[in-house]
Amino acid sequence: AEDALAIQSDDIGNQVIWGLVVLDVAPQRRDEGLAILESVIRTEPRAELVVEDQATREMARERLDQER
C-alpha cells in the first residue's frame, strides 16, 4: 500500500487502500486512517473514471460508517 501511494499519491484507490491498512494494522493511528477516508469521500470523481471513483468513494464511506 505504501509503494502504491508513493507511485501515484493522487489516485483515490491507493488512498483508500492506505486508509484501510492504517485502520487495520495500526489502530493507534486511527485518526489518520479516518482522515484519509474522509478526504477520499470529499474528492470529486475524475471524468475519465467516474464509475470507478464513485465505487471507491462508496467503499470509503462504508468503512467510515462502520468505524463510527
Side-chain angles (χ1 to χ4, degrees), residues 40-62:
V40 167
I41 289 171
R42 290 189 304 269
T43 302
E44 288 297 317
R46 297 166 287 186
E48 68 277 9
L49 296 169
V50 171
V51 173
E52 293 86 346
D53 285 355
Q54 286 178 335
T56 301
R57 290 170 63 205
E58 183 59 29
M59 183 187 319
R61 184 174 290 112
E62 287 174 5

Side-chain angles (χ1 to χ4, degrees), residues 4 13-14 20 26 28 31 35 38 49 58 61 65:
N14 291 344
L20 296 175
Q28 71 279 11
D31 291 343
E38 288 169 353
L49 296 169
E58 183 59 29
R61 184 174 290 112
D65 289 346

